[in-house]
Amino acid sequence: FSNLELSGTLSVGGTSIFNSPIVGVATFSGAVDANGGVDVSGGSGLVASTAKISDLTDNRVVIVGTSGELEDTTKLTFDGSTLTVVGDASFTGNVSVAGTLTSEEKTNIDSIGIVTARTGVRVNSGGLVVTSGVSTFSDSVVASSAKVSDLTSGRVVYAGTAGELEDASTFTFSG
């Protein structure tokens, strides 16, 4: 010990070994064995520039366990650049992704902005609704049927000057 000052009783294993006031700072040059625990509930609690918990594993995120003890889990890891969550994750509020969000086999996607699918997009019910803007296809559109809302039954359809499908009351076909 260096500059040890004690206020009260110093006990080891329940046996009082020292009874004198300590005032100031106690400095220990070796390990301090506190098998009975250390109570830091008063004042500012434990204040340390560093601490080592012997049973924690590298890259695991530290959480508070049911008894208030620090623990880690293989289900939540961070290697300095990638956060990995094994299992379900719940978010309350907005989630922002400033890169590519990669996901597989999703049944519901709610997106504002551009959605790019690596491979096929299937609409199983409800149809595809584009409320504004232009739908552009870089390859052929294949469909067993198509409905253009402003065409009239019995009229012949042709490509207009802007490439739009049109019909005319003077150009009809009755079969």
Side-chain angles (χ1 to χ4, degrees), residues 75-174:
K75 307 283 186 189
L76 187 59
T77 60
F78 182 67
D79 68 3
S81 63
T82 302
L83 176 66
T84 302
V85 178
V86 177
D88 295 337
S90 297
F91 301 93
T92 301
N94 298 329
V95 176
S96 298
V97 178
T100 300
L101 176 63
T102 302
S103 186
E104 299 176 10
E105 310 260 343
K106 297 298 166 253
T107 56
N108 295 304
I109 298 174
D110 185 1
S111 174
I112 298 172
I114 297 173
V115 175
T116 303
R118 194 173 293 175
T119 59
V121 174
R122 290 175 178 79
V123 179
N124 295 324
S125 65
L128 179 62
V129 178
V130 178
T131 57
S132 66
V134 176
S135 298
T136 304
F137 303 92
S138 61
D139 204 348
S140 299
V141 176
V142 178
S144 59
S145 67
K147 180 178 180 180
V148 179
S149 62
D150 66 347
L151 298 179
T152 304
S153 178
R155 294 182 180 176
V156 174
V157 177
Y158 61 94
T161 56
E164 297 174 356
L165 295 179
E166 297 179 6
D167 62 8
S169 62
T170 58
F171 192 16
T172 61
F173 181 74
S174 63

Side-chain angles (χ1 to χ4, degrees), residues 1-7 18 21-29 32 47:
F1 298 99
S2 173
N3 299 325
L4 175 64
E5 295 182 26
L6 176 66
S7 175
F18 191 78
I22 290 184
V23 179
V25 176
T27 303
F28 303 93
S29 61
V32 175
V47 178

